[in-house]
Amino acid sequence: MVRFKNRYLLVRVVWDEHQRLVDETLNAYKLLKQLQSTIHAEFGDYGLACVQSSLQVKYWNNKTNMMVVRCARDHTKMVLATLALIRKLQQRNVALQVVHVGGTIRSCHKKALEYDEGILRLMTKELVSQMEGKP
């Protein structure tokens, strides 16, 4: 029996700086539909048929703007190209930044924690330097 090989993509949604950073109306289903429609527009029926059985948004967090996308290992490059082509979500300008590509969801979870800790350290350093600069 052959097992399906998947890849898990840790993706950060970067909103346009003039817009709200947290969007409560966005959910995993809407993100999946946007991915599927972009794949269909760029790669046609064949591309959509290739990825549709395995494509899934496993995790979405509104607060950190991070999501985990599962796709078949054979079609990872197609999904990565699609993520790079998405420029709008719900009529808002965005950029999707792939942080990590892993073979398990556990590796994506670890990388997400490391990524968030790095951002917190950077924000803490900036805050301390701003407070030291003020009288």
Side-chain angles (χ1 to χ4, degrees), residues 3-118:
R3 177 172 84 103
F4 290 109
K5 308 278 184 172
N6 293 315
R7 288 289 176 253
Y8 294 89
L9 313 173
L10 179 63
V11 181
R12 180 175 165 237
V13 178
V14 181
W15 299 102
D16 187 21
E17 60 190 53
H18 302 295
Q19 299 171 351
R20 282 190 352 238
L21 297 177
V22 176
D23 188 0
E24 297 293 334
T25 62
L26 195 58
N27 58 27
Y29 179 76
K30 290 178 183 178
L31 289 166
L32 178 64
K33 289 300 171 190
Q34 179 65 40
L35 271 170
Q36 288 174 341
S37 67
T38 306
I39 288 172
H40 187 261
E42 299 300 327
F43 297 102
D45 291 335
Y46 173 75
L48 185 60
C50 286
V51 301
Q52 194 158 15
S53 64
S54 65
L55 189 67
Q56 187 177 12
V57 176
K58 297 294 278 182
Y59 174 75
W60 164 247
N61 188 334
N62 286 332
K63 306 299 184 218
T64 60
N65 292 321
M66 299 286 270
M67 69 175 163
V68 175
V69 178
R70 184 188 75 184
C71 65
R73 183 179 67 180
D74 296 337
H75 305 294
T76 304
K77 289 183 180 179
M78 185 185 304
V79 175
L80 287 171
T82 302
L83 290 169
L85 293 171
I86 293 176
R87 294 288 172 224
K88 283 195 179 278
L89 285 175
Q90 296 185 337
Q91 307 303 320
R92 295 175 57 200
N93 295 329
V94 297
L96 300 180
Q97 177 186 18
V98 178
V99 177
H100 177 72
V101 178
T104 63
I105 200 164
R106 175 185 270 175
S107 69
C108 284
H109 182 260
K110 287 179 183 178
K111 190 56 90 168
L113 288 175
E114 291 173 13
Y115 187 81
D116 287 341
E117 286 174 0

